[in-house]
Amino acid sequence: MLFSRITGTGGYLPERVMTNAELETMVDTSDAWITARSGIKERRIAAEDEYTCDLAEKASLKAIQAAGKTCDEIDLIVVATSTPDVVFPSTACLLQERLGVIGPPAFDVQAVCAGFLFAVDVADKFIRTQSAKCALVVGAETFSRILDWSDRQTCVLFGDGAGAVILEPGDEPGILSTHLHSDGRFKDLLCVPTGVSRNYQKLQDGGAYVTMEGGEVFRWAVTAMSDIVKETLNANSMTLDQVDWLVPHQANSRIISAIGKRLGLSESKVIITVEKHGNTSAASVPLALDEGVRDSRIKPGNFVLIEGFGGGFTWGSAMIKM
Ligand code: UT7
């Protein structure tokens, strides 16, 4: 049996740091409120001429280098993003051109903050069916572009960034299992209600912004991300004690704490980056994974459970032996 293995990780954050103090000058908020309610202290914001593909490219090059690969060995590119550079071509195709990868399939998946989990699931299936041997999987976002900077309920929560992994085949896992869910009944609770086919005029007028029923989303995020941990453990006949690290979506430190409490998981086994990154949507899980790998908390052979939750609703997880 063939499995896919993560052989390299990479991450990139734009240079510009936006602190809570800066947000205090923009909307009626305070460092104390943002810190207490979300755990976020600062986030990165892409430069005016810096786009999702730019962030994706920088994260990808680091992952490719970490895996000891060259761009011409990549035979699949999957980019998870809800903030593509342009409506089309896909950000994956733009990234492919940047990397000089000519020919193999490159496409985007869109599952908002759970996007990276969906992208990993797809790429894992390509590897296991021998349709690819070296997959580049990226989560990249410039969420700052779809924020209403006068709406204190959303603008303080999000940031920009990109994370990437290289997946290659191996005889042993690797990725032990992936789990995906969606429930479109909740489409209105977290969305950008503006698009190409609908409300295009608003898009042209620069009115495409994230709207969120924060409290409802919070409750669902805690329930879904706790339940999917149990689902993932059950699928692998594992207990929580056997998991070395949980890498959850980084939306709010209170969500992460509530998940830990429900599961009885110590925070010392959770990678948390939300304080410095804010919510980078599809980039949050691969960025946190990369941080854990690069600072050597996550070691080869560790069991790592990654999970995400986002608009749709969409949620997903993967159990990985590093
Ligand atoms: O990535 C996808 C998943 N996204 C999430 O998981 C986000 C989920 N939701 C959350 O993280 C939290 O619900 C928030 C951080 C968005 C909000 O925290 P909360 O504890 O649910 O606060 P709240 O919305 O109940 O608001 C409490 C108060 C309100 O004032 P009143 O009505 O009590 O007078 C808000 O108007 O806080 C007010 N408020 C703020 N005050 C200062 C809302 N935003 C701000 C702000 N600064 N930025």
Side-chain angles (χ1 to χ4, degrees):
M1 188 148 164
L2 203 62
F3 297 94
S4 52
R5 301 188 62 84
I6 293 182
T7 57
T9 67
Y12 177 75
L13 292 161
E15 270 175 35
R16 170 149 150 60
V17 177
M18 183 183 277
T19 61
N20 291 348
E22 185 175 349
L23 280 160
E24 284 177 354
T25 68
M26 297 161 62
V27 285
D28 180 15
T29 192
S30 65
D31 173 44
W33 190 94
I34 302 169
T35 306
R37 305 315 292 166
S38 74
I40 300 166
K41 297 298 278 183
E42 61 184 48
R43 70 289 291 143
R44 300 296 184 96
I45 304 295
E48 230 168 89
D49 59 352
E50 194 174 31
Y51 307 110
T52 296
C53 185
D54 298 311
L55 312 188
E57 181 186 4
K58 288 183 169 129
S60 298
L61 288 171
K62 288 186 184 167
I64 293 164
Q65 189 187 35
K69 292 280 151 187
T70 53
C71 289
D72 57 359
E73 291 176 271
I74 294 166
D75 56 4
L76 172 70
I77 299 177
V78 188
V79 175
T81 187
S82 301
T83 48
D85 284 33
V86 292
V87 173
F88 68 82
S90 68
T91 304
C93 281
L94 304 184
L95 177 62
Q96 179 178 45
E97 188 267 340
R98 293 279 184 87
L99 298 175
V101 178
I102 299 161
F107 55 90
D108 289 359
V109 299
Q110 209 270 47
V112 206
C113 301
F116 182 71
L117 284 305
F118 280 65
V120 164
D121 176 278
V122 171
D124 176 54
K125 289 181 166 84
F126 267 77
I127 297 272
R128 285 196 288 113
T129 56
Q130 299 185 46
S131 304
K133 280 200 181 75
C134 183
L136 171 62
V137 186
V138 187
E141 303 278 16
T142 45
F143 244 62
S144 61
R145 301 277 154 70
I146 52 167
L147 295 176
D148 175 353
W149 288 98
S150 65
D151 175 12
R152 69 176 184 174
Q153 306 207 29
T154 51
C155 76
V156 302
L157 300 173
F158 295 91
D160 301 334
V165 299
I166 295 289
L167 291 185
E168 294 183 73
D171 295 331
E172 288 177 21
I175 295 183
L176 290 116
S177 68
T178 55
H179 308 267
L180 301 181
H181 296 282
S182 304
D183 192 337
R185 286 176 302 169
F186 301 102
K187 62 185 171 22
D188 298 326
L189 294 183
L190 173 54
C191 61
V192 177
T194 310
V196 178
S197 186
R198 192 194 290 196
N199 293 334
Y200 186 54
Q201 191 57 48
K202 259 189 165 176
L203 186 71
Q204 284 186 310
D205 296 344
Y209 301 127
V210 173
T211 63
M212 177 167 69
E213 298 288 335
E216 277 289 292
V217 176
F218 188 107
R219 278 187 285 283
W220 276 98
V222 172
T223 304
M225 285 205 284
S226 304
D227 287 353
I228 207 168
V229 168
K230 294 179 195 156
E231 178 186 338
T232 309
L233 291 171
N234 286 341
N236 293 290
S237 304
M238 287 173 71
T239 61
L240 206 50
D241 300 345
Q242 293 171 283
V243 177
D244 296 292
W245 292 102
L246 176 70
V247 183
H249 173 47
Q250 310 283 321
N252 185 322
S253 61
R254 284 163 55 227
I255 293 178
I256 296 172
S257 302
I259 295 168
K261 218 175 250 172
R262 273 189 175 218
L263 296 169
L265 179 72
S266 154
E267 211 153 87
S268 63
K269 288 174 81 172
V270 185
I271 305 284
I272 302 173
T273 55
V274 67
E275 183 186 350
K276 283 188 171 298
H277 296 182
N279 181 348
T280 57
S281 187
S284 96
V285 170
L287 268 170
L289 181 70
D290 181 57
E291 190 164 303
V293 168
R294 281 179 194 266
D295 67 19
S296 298
R297 275 179 291 171
I298 298 176
K299 297 184 173 57
N302 277 178
F303 285 100
V304 178
L305 201 164
I306 62 174
E307 61 167 346
F309 178 88
F313 290 144
T314 51
W315 61 107
S317 68
M319 179 70 83
I320 304 166
K321 190 172 182 202
M322 298 297 289

